[in-house]
Amino acid sequence: MKKFRLVTVFSITVISIAIFIYPVYSNATTAKSPCRIEVSIVHISKYIFLKTGKQAVKVDAFSKCNVAQSKVTLTVELWKVGSFGNHLVVLRAKRSPGVTLPGRQVENFNTFVFCKNNELTNYYGVAYSKAFIAGKWQFARHVLSRKTTPIECGT
């Protein structure tokens, strides 16, 4: 009986020491999204003004992946805030039919509308995409610009 007690105490002591000395590592890893979309803050385009002589409100967006993707469609919407709800002003989709290598961007810098007057209006941008990655269609959620921007550009 004494021998059994001694073996039990010794075993419990060794197991307890092992638990506290050696850290426990988990094999579970948090899956990171292979792609991301970034949307600019809505602004008056200097480039369009220099080219056309007209003011235009514009929003830019790009999609970047750390894996190869193909058949990418990046859609960008320009919205204005209204008294009775928000209104879609313009929607433009950029299609990149070939393969986009990891780390390369698919850009949509062509979403704009010309100003009709100088009325102060609040705008924001929205972007989303779809791409063929690893044999499956992947859809990116809607991403909004960081803030709603008041601009003297009525549409």
Side-chain angles (χ1 to χ4, degrees):
M1 185 68 127
K2 244 182 173 182
K3 194 172 189 182
F4 177 72
R5 220 185 254 173
L6 186 61
V7 169
T8 305
V9 170
F10 179 75
S11 298
I12 292 173
T13 305
V14 169
I15 292 171
S16 298
I17 291 172
I19 288 173
F20 290 112
I21 291 178
Y22 297 105
V24 178
Y25 294 103
S26 171
N27 287 335
T29 57
T30 307
K32 288 186 179 180
S33 175
C35 303
R36 74 176 193 276
I37 296 175
E38 291 191 21
V39 183
S40 72
I41 296 173
V42 178
H43 58 281
I44 295 289
S45 174
K46 292 177 188 173
Y47 177 79
I48 293 172
F49 182 74
L50 290 174
K51 288 289 189 184
T52 65
K54 300 179 191 175
Q55 283 196 330
V57 64
K58 181 179 181 193
V59 64
D60 301 321
F62 69 85
S63 171
K64 186 174 184 177
C65 284
N66 59 11
V67 295
Q69 58 180 337
S70 61
K71 303 175 187 170
V72 180
T73 301
L74 176 60
T75 306
V76 180
E77 301 173 350
L78 179 62
W79 287 78
K80 71 177 177 179
V81 178
S83 300
F84 302 106
N86 300 342
H87 308 282
L88 177 64
V89 178
V90 66
L91 176 146
R92 297 262 163 71
K94 167 74 183 265
R95 290 177 180 82
S96 180
V99 175
T100 304
L101 299 174
R104 303 296 300 258
Q105 293 181 1
V106 174
E107 300 169 338
N108 185 333
F109 293 164
N110 201 32
T111 306
F112 66 90
V113 65
F114 290 109
C115 301
K116 293 180 182 175
N117 55 46
N118 291 335
E119 185 179 328
L120 189 64
T121 309
N122 289 306
Y123 294 96
Y124 65 94
V126 178
Y128 49 94
S129 71
K130 72 175 185 174
F132 200 67
I133 301 172
K136 291 194 277 186
W137 282 103
Q138 303 289 328
F139 298 89
R141 295 181 182 179
H142 288 61
V143 177
L144 278 64
S145 49
R146 287 185 286 144
K147 63 180 183 176
T148 302
T149 309
I151 297 176
E152 289 183 355
C153 173
T155 52

